[in-house]
Amino acid sequence: MSNTQDHIQDDNQIDSYRRKLLGGGAALAGAAALGSGVFFTSIARAKPDAEPASSEIRWGFLIDTNKCADNCDKCVTACNDEFNLTGFGRPETDAQWIRTVTLRDKKTGHTTKLPLMCQHCAHPPCVDVCPTGASFKRPDGIVLVDKHTCIGCRYCMIACPYKARSFVHETIENQKEYGPRGKGTVESCTLCVHRVDKGEIPACAEACPEKAILFGNMNDANSDIARRMASTVSTEIRGDLRLDLGVRYQGI
Amino acid sequence: MKAKRNTQRFWLAAFIFVLFSFGVMADVPVPDIPEAVKGEQCVEETGFMRRNHMELLLHQRDDTLRKGIRTQKHSLKNCFTCHVVKGADNQPVTVKDSRHFCRECHDYAAVQVDCFQCHTSVPGGAKTTGTRP
Amino acid sequence: MKPTTFREITGNSKGYYMLLALLGLTVAAGLGSAWYMEHNGHWVTGMNNQIVWGMPHVFAVFLIVAASGALNVASMSSVFGKTSYKPLAPLSGLMAITLLTGGLMVLVLDLGRPDRLIVAMTTYNFKSIFAWNMILYNGFFLIVGIYLWTMMQRNLNQYSKTAGFFAFLWRLALTTGTGSIFGFIVARQFYDAAIMAPMFIVMSFAFGLAFFLIFLLAAYKWTGREIGSYLINRLQKLLGLFIAAVLLFVVIFHLTNLYVTQHHGVEDFILAGDNIYSGLFWVGYLLLGTIFPLIICYTSAFRASIGWTTAAAILVIAGGLSQMYIIIIGGQAFPLDMFPGKEVSSSFYDGVIVTYSPTAPEVMLGLGGVALAFAATLFAVKILRFLPLSLANAKIDPHHSAQG
């Protein structure tokens, strides 16, 4: 197993990701390296620390709304716990990086429930409008806010078609080591970039008891996410805007 | 007459300045830099770190956030993890405490940083506080 | 016509100092409010994650739009060759600068991190219309400053026409940029319209002239300098023309939305909703801000009256603020159209019309910006020669001597 590991380290990145997902032994090695022991929560081996994020990869979610249970908000709780988005008991100004949304068809009465977060667009309006370039997209498609240069103008919040962003309205003192957040800057779902870079999957996807949130590399034809996208219908929210989203939904 | 008054003013000003300088020296002790808990040597030579840590931090910050390079060598987290200061309760002190590693020198040099408005200042960060209803 | 004589106002009366003190106090209250907001965080304001831009932005955008419009009187003489406006050109340039200063003060102090202004000034994302605006604002100060210089230093007078022309082009670009802040937003139903840019330009004509008139008429009344019926009458008609032009754009904007089925929801919300926006539209903008001042400007009974013209200008400002409130707050209050044909509900106010209750600090900050603009103008006319000694008919009207 260690031989496989070494062999993969030497290989180029895309191949190694692919091999991981194809080969059972490699996948096991990946799972072992993570120490999680749960096969389907691993995406691949951890990216070597010194290696930058690759533009060959497009991280994303495929969310099956049919699986999303009625009274469940485990993805939301997991996200809140992951980043200590505990709130101040003021729902209008408290941050929400992920929320569950209930849709009811006005004609038929049919209801659907889905989790909604930053859609990690390939052409993000928030990045377009940001005056200082603090909103940016990583090479692997993850849209983030550089809080070092965010001036708190909130233009990105005006521009986001999904209302995915929150402004920090008060002083924060309970930050996680991997999740800096502070008063006067804008924030949103990071696709758990700190986990993804270690080879783990985002907290919401891990927490979903129904496995409704599938995480993976959309560019890799052999990944679970790409295969499921190829075999079933999935749509983008506000696909008319042609933003090429990193989050797709089934069942809406 | 006028010249004499000017001379008097000069000496008065000088006296106040010297008095003030003594006051400053008396109030602010030389920083008591906390020793690193692990290892003998910092990630770079100490003198180099004193002069250039801000450049290293800035570089690492952009590499990590923008490019996803996750090496820890020059990270902010590393500074206060190695040079952790424990309080009476044996827990690491936050930057609110003047004994915090970063504050020892920054207070002395009167250089304000805003790192900790967003970043945690203790190793491992805050515990999960749980969602309020 | 003899060349116009410009003089500082005496500015040592009790009234002058009381006015300056009042404005100064308002500025101080605005600054205090900003400090309070920054210290506690924005939760102490009515702004939240749904209404992310509030009263400060209503005032800031209004002042910035008015600033470029205030330059219009100068442009009338330098670009369009209307010589009777020439004596007013220095005040016009001055007010363009002071109004922009007031607006930017509000905008900057409302930022989440105003301490990072230097970042905003040095790090640009050139795809952002906001970043372009920062360049346009700074450039406006520079160009209008040069224009004023060429007007006020005699041996540079020959360049003032050229400087005035560039200032005119720049102000058009500036207001285009301001309108495009909203025009380029594809996410929201009420924005995403190219007409926003020209509509803001026309709005700037009206708002800028209104501010200009208020200051000019008050200054001449209180200093006892003469201002003739000829000039007041012309400015009145000009204001009326601008108000009518704004109305045309507003009508086109709403008609377009009313034609497109997709936009019926938001139009219904703004024009006929049970909310403040409908009231502001029909009463604030249309009745008070448009119809009343149009009557004043075009009815002979009110012709050349200082009092009525001032009233018309104040009404235009009230209407303009209403318009800004409708665009900025109303545009955000209406829910995003993420799921067509679906009723949407969530813990994050999806699918519902959100309410906004501004708090005192944010209103004070906005008023502080207005006060700063007026205070700076009031101070400048005391120390520099911006105002002509007389604007009597004999000094202005090219036909006056022929008639006399």
Side-chain angles (χ1 to χ4, degrees), chain A residues 131-132 149, chain C residues 116-126 134 138:
Chain A
T132 65
T149 44
Chain C
R116 289 193 181 146
L117 187 61
I118 189 72
V119 175
M121 295 291 184
T122 51
T123 324
Y124 290 109
N125 162 28
F126 285 105
M134 289 186 203
N138 288 328

Side-chain angles (χ1 to χ4, degrees), chain B residues 102-117:
Chain B
C102 301
R103 276 194 63 182
E104 280 289 351
C105 297
H106 275 271
D107 282 2
Y108 180 73
V111 177
Q112 233 180 354
V113 292
D114 62 356
C115 307
F116 302 111
Q117 289 186 25

Side-chain angles (χ1 to χ4, degrees), chain A residues 89-218:
Chain A
R90 292 189 279 265
E92 287 173 343
T93 49
D94 282 348
Q96 293 196 29
W97 293 8
I98 178 173
R99 59 193 191 265
T100 61
V101 176
T102 308
L103 312 178
R104 187 177 165 278
D105 195 297
K106 283 179 190 161
K107 281 200 166 170
T108 64
H110 178 263
T111 60
T112 321
K113 192 180 151 216
L114 55 92
L116 188 67
M117 71 294 277
C118 171
Q119 303 286 297
H120 297 280
C121 316
H123 310 290
C126 57
V127 173
D128 288 347
V129 302
C130 179
T132 65
S135 278
F136 72 102
K137 191 180 61 154
R138 265 188 17 155
D140 55 7
I142 301 178
V143 176
L144 297 171
V145 182
D146 184 344
K147 293 180 187 72
H148 306 108
T149 44
C150 174
I151 55 171
C153 73
R154 286 106 79 199
Y155 195 21
C156 55
M157 299 175 71
I158 297 270
C160 176
Y162 309 98
K163 225 168 77 167
R165 291 196 158 179
S166 292
F167 180 67
V168 182
H169 286 78
E170 43 242 303
T171 307
I172 307 267
E173 283 175 355
N174 60 346
Q175 296 94 338
K176 292 298 185 82
E177 192 177 30
Y178 45 77
R181 41 195 310 260
K183 182 177 74 183
T185 56
V186 175
E187 56 184 22
S188 60
C189 160
T190 66
L191 211 68
C192 279
V193 63
H194 63 289
R195 285 167 156 255
V196 172
D197 281 349
K198 283 192 291 184
E200 296 169 19
I201 69 169
C204 57
E206 191 180 270
C208 181
E210 312 294 336
K211 305 293 162 218
I213 306 175
L214 179 62
F215 175 80
N217 177 8
M218 292 173 148

Side-chain angles (χ1 to χ4, degrees), chain A residues 3-111:
Chain A
N3 276 350
T4 323
Q5 188 84 356
D6 291 341
H7 172 67
I8 285 161
Q9 299 275 348
D10 295 334
D11 244 318
N12 85 47
Q13 169 132 39
I14 294 309
D15 277 350
S16 72
Y17 276 108
R18 201 166 285 169
R19 212 176 299 253
K20 256 323 168 209
L21 287 153
L22 277 172
L28 268 175
L34 288 170
S36 72
V38 187
F39 174 63
F40 47 74
T41 61
S42 70
I43 36 167
R45 67 175 169 92
K47 172 179 76 60
D49 282 344
E51 201 174 277
S54 161
S55 59
E56 309 280 347
I57 295 172
R58 176 82 196 275
W59 295 122
F61 284 136
L62 178 61
I63 297 171
D64 188 349
T65 62
N66 298 313
K67 289 184 184 168
C68 195
D70 267 352
N71 291 313
C72 172
D73 64 348
K74 290 209 164 62
C75 53
V76 178
T77 316
C79 178
N80 290 347
D81 286 351
E82 185 78 6
F83 293 97
N84 265 352
L85 310 178
T86 47
F88 294 80
R90 292 189 279 265
E92 287 173 343
T93 49
D94 282 348
Q96 293 196 29
W97 293 8
I98 178 173
R99 59 193 191 265
T100 61
V101 176
T102 308
L103 312 178
R104 187 177 165 278
D105 195 297
K106 283 179 190 161
K107 281 200 166 170
T108 64
H110 178 263
T111 60

Side-chain angles (χ1 to χ4, degrees), chain C residues 4 34 55 107 113 118 129 132 144 149 179 199 201 280 284 292 329 402:
Chain C
T4 317
M55 272 325 251
L107 196 66
R113 298 293 307 253
I118 189 72
I129 189 68
W132 278 102
V144 178
W149 188 15
M199 187 163 83
I201 291 179
L280 282 177
F292 281 180
I329 314 290

Side-chain angles (χ1 to χ4, degrees), chain C residues 12-61:
Chain C
N12 54 9
S13 67
K14 207 170 157 191
Y16 177 87
Y17 283 113
M18 275 186 28
L19 187 58
L20 204 57
L22 185 72
L23 292 170
L25 278 176
T26 315
V27 175
L31 294 175
S33 301
W35 179 84
Y36 174 75
M37 282 160 58
E38 299 304 337
H39 180 75
N40 290 287
H42 272 65
W43 76 273
V44 297
T45 71
M47 292 176 272
N48 49 46
N49 284 327
Q50 286 71 45
I51 305 286
V52 302
W53 284 353
M55 272 325 251
H57 304 81
V58 172
F59 278 99
V61 176

Side-chain angles (χ1 to χ4, degrees), chain C residues 47-81:
Chain C
M47 292 176 272
N48 49 46
N49 284 327
Q50 286 71 45
I51 305 286
V52 302
W53 284 353
M55 272 325 251
H57 304 81
V58 172
F59 278 99
V61 176
F62 183 70
L63 285 169
I64 290 166
V65 168
S68 61
L71 191 68
N72 236 50
V73 176
S75 303
M76 291 301 278
S77 73
S78 63
V79 181
F80 299 104

